[in-house]
């Protein structure tokens, strides 16, 4: 590991105006997310300003935690931070990139720079799989390919590394040049030029030219010559003396020429001629995209001169999901399954993720020998020990012959350590009962087959599952923050089991993402969140008299919607000796469900309760049809009524309060209605009822499997009631999902469809309680246990709801509790 740099040296690199005394401060860690602080004494925090937040807000918190060096654009009150040093710069992102570029210049090693529209991350991970035995590799963690992710990746280069692999992604012009200066690749590869992220460019050619800036100083530039435009632009390059092109493809001029490829049950065999030498590559995938990614990897190995040693590993390329999954374990445990690789960078990322999950659960890590740790593993393992301590890990289970040498009970007091030589050894000796109520991280090298440990620990329930993409939810939250004013607060609706997605997991994500409020329907939902460790403010929408004690005990803030409920709560508070209890006043501006109309509001204001019993945190109402342009005039009438009633409340109080009226649709369609706070619910899951915002990503997927395949003859019936009579000899698949799971009965008899192998299959017969049937007569190569998507990334929940004659809200909240929720990151 590098010993870092002095603050004086790095602040000189970025030409900063320095306030405070850098003294002996050393910088070894660069931090842009205050929630991921691990080593405060040697961390420099970069106070980024983005559409979703301002890093300057977290300086006080970081200073209390021990951070002493900060890169900022705004100078804070130095008297509050007597031991800190501030580097003031015009652009914090630019300063981060300059420091990473300076760090890159300290090392002379082969650096592979990857860009393209698709395939960057899979090529990077496959290269790591192929080359990790020959090289000590540093690479981009996961998909760190942005203006911020690239410099953080390059900062990871240390003296022990002899190969670096970084990916660079852009979405508009003028973004690649700074990344090129940070990465400075010696080998460049363009995966492809497709339609992804095209919004910021005039056409494909402009996007290609921008991406090619990454390679301006590379010695070798690799590309597929089958794309005529790419070939033409590459040939037009004015190469410098030491630069050369390396093309692969079916084009006769390609340096690596594809002669033929043959698909088999085990994958694909590809015959090529590599600059005159015949070579056969075998990969365990049959699809065209996998072949392209594999040939990109082969071309890089060819450029490095290591193809002979790589060929047998090509047939063992892993199917990478590129994601962590949080699943239910047995005996109340939770499992974070991140076992597709086990290098130090990936481990630290997984431990950061673990740190934000289930704060009250005891933490256990199951860890194999690490890969890519160079000739002196002790330095890496010392850092791992520090990370484990910082994440409050109580139990470590190691698997492998190397790792056991670096973890002893004496050196790690308070950490329970168990060592196993092999995964088989661990499976024989691990007792499921010892994992009760624990949060378990599985992080194992692929050759250790930790999926077997996951299978041992997972709760063996229904094969139907609801997948929730936490990453997509974060993207959606960022999208809303980008269109709202920077001072607009967000209340996230987590009622009804977080719209069916799971209460704690979603609330915890939102707490981690620093939304301002949560809202639940009933007090018991808020109680469960408090018991699970949620600390942020929670509003209770439906306040019941029996729940008043819980409001006090668990610090829950009730909605007050009537004089009767207000009077009852006021009397209760008086008996308890409590004044100025926080409340949220609900107004009825036209929806006529709950809330004070103007007359009843005047009675409430004159009652005196607001002067003694209550402190108004917010005033709000519900819009009846914010998503529908046909009712925009009515929406404007509601907004005007809200303004009028809020003015009356304000005149009765000697303090201010928050106002909120906008739901997901109003946040998008009625910007004048965002006030000081908005309420986001289904929009966080990527569903826009107004269907006007193209920036959202659907975050939920409902999947099941095929239980049986039946040959049904013409004239025979399928399902209860014999409503489906086959008009031809048919193949009918029975799925492990029914209306008790949340798949509506209204979708039976061909009304609904599901996706099987990327093709739509219609339902047959009535939907049963626990199962349903689909017609797969025209499908090839279907097998038992094949995965079926009911809604998800390839079939929108909006379409499913429309088929069922309902709305996405009902579909989501109707998913049964017996369906396991799997959380993907």
């Amino acid at each position: 590991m590098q010993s870092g740099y002095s603050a004086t040296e790095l602040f000189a690199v970025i030409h900063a105006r320095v306030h405070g005394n850098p003294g002996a401060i050393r910088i070894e860690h660069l931090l842009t997310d205050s929630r991921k602080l691990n080593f405060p004494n040697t961390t420099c925090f970069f106070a980024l300003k983005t559409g979703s937040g301002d890093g300057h807000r977290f300086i006080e918190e970081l200073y209390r935690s021990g951070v002493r060096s900060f890169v900022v654009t705004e100078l804070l009150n130095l008297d509050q931070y007597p031991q800190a040093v501030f580097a003031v710069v015009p652009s914090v992102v630019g300063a981060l990139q300059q420091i990473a570029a300076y760090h890159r210049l300290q090392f002379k090693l082969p650096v592979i720079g990857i860009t393209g529209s698709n395939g960057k991350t899979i090529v990077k991970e496959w290269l790591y799989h192929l080359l990790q035995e020959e090289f000590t590799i540093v690479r981009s963690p996961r998909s760190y390919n942005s203006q911020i992710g690239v410099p953080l990746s390059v900062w990871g280069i240390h003296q022990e590394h002899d190969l670096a692999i970084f990916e660079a992604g852009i979405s508009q012009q003028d973004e690649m040049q700074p990344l090129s200066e940070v990465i400075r690749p010696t080998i460049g590869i363009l995966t492809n030029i497709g339609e992804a992220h095209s919004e910021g460019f005039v056409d494909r050619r402009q996007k290609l030219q921008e991406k090619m800036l990454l390679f301006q100083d590379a010695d070798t530039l690799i590309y597929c010559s089958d794309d005529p435009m790419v070939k033409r632009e590459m040939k037009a390059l004015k190469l410098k003396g030491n630069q050369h092109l390396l093309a692969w493809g079916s084009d006769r001029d390609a340096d690596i020429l594809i002669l033929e490829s043959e698909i088999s049950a085990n994958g694909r065999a590809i015959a090529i001629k590599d600059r005159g030498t015949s070579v056969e590559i075998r990969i365990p995938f049959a699809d065209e995209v996998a072949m392209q990614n594999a040939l990109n990897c082969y071309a890089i190995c060819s450029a490095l001169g290591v193809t002979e040693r790589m060929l047998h590993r090509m047939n063992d390329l892993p199917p990478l999901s590129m994601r962590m999954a949080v699943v239910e374990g047995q005996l109340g445990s939770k499992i974070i399954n991140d076992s597709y690789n086990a290098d130090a960078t990936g481990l630290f990322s997984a431990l950061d993720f673990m740190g934000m999950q289930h704060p009250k659960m005891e933490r256990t890590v199951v860890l194999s020998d690490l890969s890519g740790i160079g000739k002196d593993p002790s330095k890496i393992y010392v850092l791992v020990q520090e990370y484990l301590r910082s994440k409050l890990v109580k139990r470590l289970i190691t698997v492998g012959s190397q790792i056991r040498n670096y973890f002893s009970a004496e050196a790690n007091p308070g950490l329970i350590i168990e060592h196993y030589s092999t995964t088989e050894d661990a499976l024989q000796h691990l007792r499921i009962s010892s994992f009760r109520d624990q949060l378990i991280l599985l992080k194992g090298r692929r050759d250790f087959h930790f999926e077997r440990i996951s299978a041992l620990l997972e709760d063996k329930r229904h094969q139907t599952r609801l997948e929730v993409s936490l990453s997509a939810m974060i993207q959606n939250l960022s999208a809303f923050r980008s269109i709202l004013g920077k001072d607009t607060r967000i209340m996230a609706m987590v009622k009804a089991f977080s719209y069916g997605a799971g209460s704690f997991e979603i609330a915890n994500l939102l707490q981690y993402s620093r939304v301002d409020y949560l809202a639940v329907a009933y007090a018991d939902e808020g109680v469960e969140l408090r018991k699970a460790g949620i600390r942020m403010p929670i509003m209770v929408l439906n306040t019941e008299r029996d729940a008043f004690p819980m409001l006090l005990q668990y610090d829950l803030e009730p909605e007050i919607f009537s004089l009767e409920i207000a009077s009852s709560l006021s009397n209760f508070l008086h008996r308890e000796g409590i004044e100025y209890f926080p409340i949220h006043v609900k107004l009825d501006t036209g929806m006529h469900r709950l809330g004070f109309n103007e007359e009843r509001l005047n009675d409430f204001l004159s009652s005196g309760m607001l002067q003694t019993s209550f402190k108004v945190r917010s005033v709000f109402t519900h819009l009846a049809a914010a998503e529908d342009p046909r009712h925009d005039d009515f929406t404007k009438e509601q907004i005007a009524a809200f303004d009028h009633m809020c003015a009356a409340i304000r005149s009765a109080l000697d303090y201010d309060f928050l106002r909120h009226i906008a739901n997901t649709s109003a946040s998008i369609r009625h910007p004048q209605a965002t006030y000081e706070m908005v309420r986001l619910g289904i929009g966080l899951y990527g569903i826009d009822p107004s269907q006007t915002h193209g920036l959202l990503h659907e975050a939920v997927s409902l999947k099941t499997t095929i239980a049986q395949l039946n040959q049904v003859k013409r004239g025979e019936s399928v399902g209860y009631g014999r409503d489906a009579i086959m008009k031809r000899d048919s193949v009918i698949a029975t799925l492990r999902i029914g209306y008790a799971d949340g798949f509506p009965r209204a979708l039976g008899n061909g009304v609904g469809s599901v996706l099987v192998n990327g093709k739509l299959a219609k339902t047959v017969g009535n939907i049963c309680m626990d199962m349903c049937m689909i017609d797969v007569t025209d499908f090839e190569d279907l097998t038992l246990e094949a995965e079926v998507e009911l809604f998800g990334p390839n079939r929108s929940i909006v379409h499913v709801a429309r088929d069922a004659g309902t709305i996405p809200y009902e579909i989501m909240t109707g998913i049964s509790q017996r369906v396991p929720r799997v959380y993907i990151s």
Side-chain angles (χ1 to χ4, degrees), residues 7-65:
T8 302
E9 180 181 2
L10 290 188
F11 292 167
V13 168
I14 58 179
H15 306 292
R17 289 187 291 113
V18 179
H19 298 264
N21 181 16
I25 293 177
R26 292 197 66 75
I27 296 173
E28 296 180 9
H29 306 278
L30 309 183
L31 183 69
T32 60
D33 185 339
S34 62
R35 299 163 296 189
K36 296 183 178 179
L37 177 66
N38 290 304
F39 308 106
N41 294 337
T42 53
T43 290
C44 180
F45 178 67
F46 290 75
L48 299 170
K49 284 187 176 183
T50 67
S52 59
D54 183 353
H56 294 79
R57 292 168 44 206
F58 308 110
I59 288 176
E60 181 180 350
E61 169 192 328
L62 289 165
Y63 183 81
R64 288 198 306 267
S65 298

Side-chain angles (χ1 to χ4, degrees), residues 64-195:
R64 288 198 306 267
S65 298
V67 178
R68 293 295 179 262
S69 57
F70 301 89
V71 177
V72 298
T73 54
E74 302 171 6
L75 189 59
L76 282 69
N77 184 351
L78 295 177
D79 293 338
Q80 295 181 7
Y81 310 100
Q83 297 177 317
V85 57
F86 292 93
V88 183
V89 295
S91 167
V92 172
V93 173
L96 176 66
Q97 293 170 345
Q98 286 176 290
I99 285 175
Y102 177 76
H103 179 66
R104 165 69 180 91
L105 289 174
Q106 312 310 308
F107 300 90
K108 293 189 179 299
L109 77 169
V111 175
I112 300 169
I114 308 172
T115 193
S117 297
N118 305 102
K120 297 183 292 294
T121 302
I122 196 78
V123 168
K124 179 198 67 187
E125 294 301 324
W126 277 0
L127 283 172
Y128 181 78
H129 169 80
L130 293 169
L131 299 171
Q132 61 181 313
E133 292 184 19
E134 272 66 33
F135 299 92
T136 302
I137 301 172
V138 58
R139 73 195 195 281
S140 306
R142 302 191 180 275
S143 296
Y144 272 39
N145 58 26
S146 67
Q147 300 293 308
I148 298 167
V150 167
L152 293 177
S153 300
V154 170
W155 182 258
I157 303 176
H158 305 311
Q159 292 294 344
E160 63 266 26
H161 295 128
D162 52 16
L163 179 65
I165 311 173
F166 301 122
E167 53 177 297
I170 57 170
S171 57
Q172 60 189 30
Q173 280 193 285
D174 302 321
E175 287 189 338
M176 188 58 85
Q177 184 61 39
L179 300 186
S180 176
E181 293 172 7
V182 172
I183 297 176
R184 293 185 180 273
T186 58
I187 300 174
I189 181 161
L190 179 75
T191 56
N192 55 56
I193 292 291
E195 296 305 319

Side-chain angles (χ1 to χ4, degrees), residues 692-749:
T692 58
H693 197 325
L695 296 180
L696 301 182
H697 302 270
E698 290 196 19
V700 287
S701 304
L702 182 62
K703 298 178 179 179
T704 190
T705 57
I706 294 175
Q708 188 171 5
L709 291 167
N710 290 310
Q711 305 287 333
V712 180
K713 294 185 187 231
R714 178 184 176 185
E716 294 183 341
S717 63
V718 174
Y720 285 122
R722 300 197 70 225
D723 286 349
I725 306 296
M726 296 297 97
K727 296 180 180 179
R728 60 173 178 168
D729 291 350
S730 303
V731 180
I732 303 301
T734 301
L735 308 184
R736 293 182 171 94
I737 190 169
Y739 58 76
D741 301 296
F743 193 54
R745 195 169 186 272
L747 293 176
N749 292 302

